[in-house]
Amino acid sequence: MSDVRHVLVLPDRDAAEEVAGELADRFGVAEEPQLVRDALAGEDDADDAQWLVVVEDPSGRLDSSALDAFAAEYEGWLEAP
């Protein structure tokens, strides 16, 4: 089975940091999620950057729809694989 990686897209850094912190509590994610700043194409303004929370799921046990609903609480979404 190949490793599964989930990417949650959040509107700002604060939301991304909160989501990253909550993942362990809510989903039992053992590995620290990776936060990545994703500047929107063609945007110079740093305020227009989205933040990605990359979650490694080597056992493939995380539920995509639950992750999507969780991200939605922070005005984000789960990126389709």
Side-chain angles (χ1 to χ4, degrees):
M1 179 181 208
S2 63
D3 286 2
V4 178
R5 175 178 288 156
H6 302 281
V7 179
L8 303 176
V9 182
L10 284 308
D12 56 46
R13 182 178 189 143
D14 289 345
E17 287 176 347
E18 266 187 68
V19 165
E22 279 281 307
L23 280 164
D25 294 339
R26 265 219 225 180
F27 294 97
V29 173
E31 208 172 308
E32 185 73 24
Q34 182 184 359
L35 269 60
V36 180
R37 183 178 175 274
D38 181 34
L40 298 175
E43 294 294 338
D44 300 332
D45 190 352
D47 291 339
D48 286 332
Q50 293 174 324
W51 282 77
L52 309 179
V53 178
V54 181
V55 184
E56 299 295 337
D57 184 17
S59 56
R61 63 176 190 76
L62 296 175
D63 179 348
S64 296
S65 56
L67 286 170
D68 189 45
F70 173 57
E73 294 174 26
Y74 296 88
E75 296 176 22
W77 64 90
L78 176 68
E79 191 72 10

